[in-house]
Amino acid sequence: MKIKIAGTGLTKFGELWNKDLLDLALEASSEAIHDSRLTINQIDAVFVANMIHGKLSGQDHLGALVASSLGIKGAAFRVEGACASGGLAIHLAIQSLLAGTYKNVLVVGTEKMTDATSSQITSALMGAGSEDERRAGFTFPALYALMAKAHMAKFGTTRNHLASVSVKNHFHASLNSLAQFPFEVSMEKVLESPVISSPFTLFDVSPITDGAGAVVLTSESMGAGVFISGSAVATDTVGLSQRESLLEIAASKDASQKALKQAGCEIKDIKLAEVHDCFTIAEILAMEDLGFCEKGEGGKFVEKGHTKLGGKIPVNTSGGLKACGHPVAATGVKQIIEVTHQLQQRAGKRQVNGADVGLTHNVGGSGATVVVHILQT
Amino acid sequence: MSTPASIWRQHKKLHIYLNKVGRLIVWTKIFVAPSGFEHQTPYLVGIVQFESERLPLQIVDCNEEELKVNMKVITVIRKIGKAKSEDVIEYGIKVKPRS
């Protein structure tokens, strides 16, 4: 598989009072189309990733809304797969290019979350959980907190291991001007912040964010550039309690193995990764499930600095979901953009030296949908 | 979203889960709740292993300090969330420590 990333566009992430969902989508899309040097008429289809806008604002039908606002009259789709909506939209767009139906497509992930209250967002996001979980008053922080507690009990993962993910990702975000929280935090700050769902404090949890990211993908694979060489999706039960194990996200293993096979590479070839750190434990699980370290060793692996810029395998150089921000459906697209910029050697202060192969890992719900992409120069 | 019809369908199944003993696998205390549950914070939820299935349930009538991994809990019927004055009151299954 060889799908070229022809252009990228990314808005600032954060609490953006003066911009609505469409403003964000159009800003990122226009930048991506301009970057691709294609004209509007050459874009054959638009894939809009969005999870919760219909629920929060009443506006659905986002495919045609975004496409027509850009002046595109071709096919348009809205793609939803919880917090993996962005990665799923990229995957579907790739399938349409591989099928030969379209030649150039735009994928835009967009989310406007900060107009709503925390309770409204917490409820809306629980749409990605099971009915049982909603009825019992579960939240996403609670579901991942259960995974964290199971991991701590089984492998001796500590509160400091969890916190070190947050500290590391805030450091990376301090080098990213588009991040929601472009500043460092101390270990004490993470540990002493208010409890959201035990053992998680506020700084273990990704924030509520507005933002959009867009990429133009093309099946014309001439010339140099960054290419997607692997794209895979795997699924599991929507409810956490029905999974075989609380100690892993099995779909992460399945999707990454498939994507690596497609790309013809192994995990040791990966020079950097953007992974789904919706909660600190999620990045630790990702390290283990993707195969960067042994099962149970994820906490120590992060604490030792292996995943920090300059370490063995820099992870979440954008700042991740925790510190760059998590506009849910935009996240999967932002991950692709961060790795693209790294492979183009245009990541500035957070450039990973010698970056030529990268991986993105986008998770929906508590692990029911996982999308993994492999990017190469 | 709960509607009178969906609550009615759910209530018809409640008897299946009544008076069942299970074991608590893992739990957490929630401080930031979804809409309709804010008045209960902080509250405990966990995953409970029953004979043939595992369920995500709220844990009531106890303090967190009393909880232990693998402890026996028993299902009880309780009000779910907070109903507005004109809404149907929803009931569901929760667990409490088995004394």
Side-chain angles (χ1 to χ4, degrees):
Chain A
M1 178 197 302
K2 206 176 175 191
I3 297 294
K4 189 172 189 173
I5 298 174
T8 62
L10 188 65
T11 67
K12 167 80 178 161
F13 277 16
E15 190 162 11
L16 310 173
W17 291 107
N18 57 349
K19 287 176 185 164
D20 66 19
L21 182 97
L22 194 56
D23 295 330
L24 294 164
L26 298 183
E27 186 181 321
S29 301
S30 304
E31 191 185 326
I33 295 168
H34 182 258
D35 188 41
S36 74
R37 298 190 184 147
L38 293 170
T39 62
I40 289 284
N41 295 334
Q42 289 173 287
I43 304 290
D44 305 314
V46 181
F47 292 80
V48 179
N50 181 266
M51 180 190 171
I52 57 173
H53 193 66
K55 218 178 278 184
L56 295 178
S57 79
Q59 177 67 59
D60 282 311
H61 209 169
L62 298 178
L65 182 70
V66 173
S68 64
S69 303
L70 286 164
I72 294 171
K73 294 197 170 174
F77 313 89
R78 176 242 177 155
V79 182
E80 190 277 323
C83 301
S85 300
L88 267 190
I90 301 250
H91 178 81
L92 276 179
I94 290 170
Q95 306 317 306
S96 77
L97 295 172
L98 292 174
T101 312
Y102 309 121
K103 240 194 245 172
N104 307 306
V105 299
L106 171 75
V107 184
V108 52
T110 182
E111 210 78 67
K112 177 71 193 176
M113 300 172 76
T114 65
D115 285 353
T117 64
S118 294
S119 286
Q120 286 169 331
I121 293 289
T122 304
S123 297
L125 292 176
M126 272 314 289
S130 70
E131 195 179 345
D132 284 351
E133 289 165 350
R134 282 191 294 279
R135 195 172 295 116
F138 272 72
T139 62
F140 266 95
L143 290 166
Y144 277 89
L146 296 180
M147 289 191 255
K149 287 190 73 173
H151 204 273
M152 291 163 110
K154 174 83 178 176
F155 301 117
T157 299
T158 65
R159 190 63 198 85
N160 281 18
H161 289 151
L162 297 175
S164 64
V165 173
S166 183
V167 171
K168 185 263 297 174
N169 286 345
H170 268 273
F171 166 68
H172 288 164
S174 74
L175 308 172
N176 180 2
S177 60
L178 292 181
Q180 183 167 11
F181 302 125
F183 51 79
E184 294 188 58
V185 297
S186 65
M187 192 67 118
E188 295 70 42
K189 176 99 175 167
V190 177
L191 298 175
E192 287 164 13
S193 62
V195 178
I196 301 294
S197 188
S198 58
F200 293 151
T201 66
L202 182 64
F203 278 82
D204 286 289
V205 177
S206 55
I208 293 167
T209 312
D210 304 328
V215 291
V216 174
L217 302 178
T218 174
S219 52
E220 300 278 359
S221 60
M222 304 289 281
V226 175
F227 298 89
I228 297 178
S229 55
S231 173
V233 181
T235 51
D236 205 333
T237 62
V238 168
L240 178 67
S241 67
Q242 294 147 280
R243 306 263 170 81
E244 275 181 39
S245 170
L246 297 176
L247 301 168
E248 64 174 20
I249 291 182
S252 292
K253 285 183 175 173
D254 297 346
S256 62
Q257 283 164 11
K258 273 191 237 169
L260 286 165
K261 198 174 171 194
Q262 276 174 17
C265 52
E266 295 175 45
I267 198 72
K268 65 175 171 50
D269 301 323
I270 303 295
K271 302 286 171 50
L272 80 151
E274 285 284 304
V275 308
H276 201 92
D277 61 318
C278 46
F279 303 94
T280 47
I281 187 64
E283 184 165 320
I284 289 172
L285 291 173
M287 292 304 94
E288 300 169 359
D289 298 336
L290 296 172
F292 289 119
C293 67
E294 294 296 315
K295 184 45 80 186
E297 297 294 313
K300 288 177 212 146
F301 191 72
V302 177
E303 195 184 38
K304 281 181 186 158
H306 294 321
T307 57
K308 196 174 171 180
L309 203 52
K312 270 187 198 170
I313 166 79
V315 172
N316 285 332
T317 53
S318 67
L321 283 59
K322 170 64 200 82
C324 186
H326 184 29
V328 287
T331 283
V333 182
K334 181 220 72 180
Q335 294 177 324
I336 294 281
I337 294 171
E338 175 67 13
V339 174
T340 302
H341 290 176
Q342 289 282 359
L343 300 193
Q344 291 169 334
Q345 314 297 316
R346 56 184 264 214
K349 286 181 202 160
R350 56 185 199 282
Q351 182 63 48
V352 174
N353 291 329
D356 56 357
V357 188
L359 176 149
T360 65
H361 164 258
N362 191 196
V363 179
S366 57
T369 299
V370 177
V371 190
V372 172
H373 283 103
I374 309 295
L375 283 72
Q376 285 176 288
T377 49
Chain B
M1 197 180 68
S2 293
T3 63
S6 73
I7 293 172
W8 172 74
R9 277 196 299 275
Q10 192 56 33
H11 282 178
K12 289 206 299 182
K13 293 186 217 156
L14 286 184
H15 69 278
I16 303 169
Y17 296 100
L18 277 179
N19 206 34
K20 297 263 192 255
V21 175
R23 287 183 184 274
L24 181 61
I25 298 174
V26 63
W27 69 89
T28 177
K29 193 184 235 184
I30 293 179
F31 289 79
V32 179
S35 307
F37 290 86
E38 300 97 327
H39 64 292
Q40 295 179 358
T41 55
Y43 58 91
L44 294 160
V45 297
I47 292 181
V48 180
Q49 177 76 57
F50 293 97
E51 205 173 338
S52 59
E53 61 184 333
R54 268 191 277 175
L55 293 174
L57 293 167
Q58 201 170 336
I59 307 158
V60 294
D61 296 353
C62 64
N63 294 315
E64 189 172 11
E65 295 69 39
E66 299 167 44
L67 299 181
K68 287 190 188 74
V69 173
N70 232 8
M71 76 185 280
K72 281 186 180 173
V73 290
I74 187 162
T75 55
V76 288
I77 190 166
R78 290 293 162 87
K79 202 152 84 172
I80 299 290
K82 193 173 202 173
K84 294 189 192 115
S85 59
E86 68 275 26
D87 288 347
V88 176
I89 296 169
E90 183 173 4
Y91 291 88
I93 297 296
K94 300 184 182 183
V95 287
K96 65 175 187 180
R98 191 191 182 202
S99 49

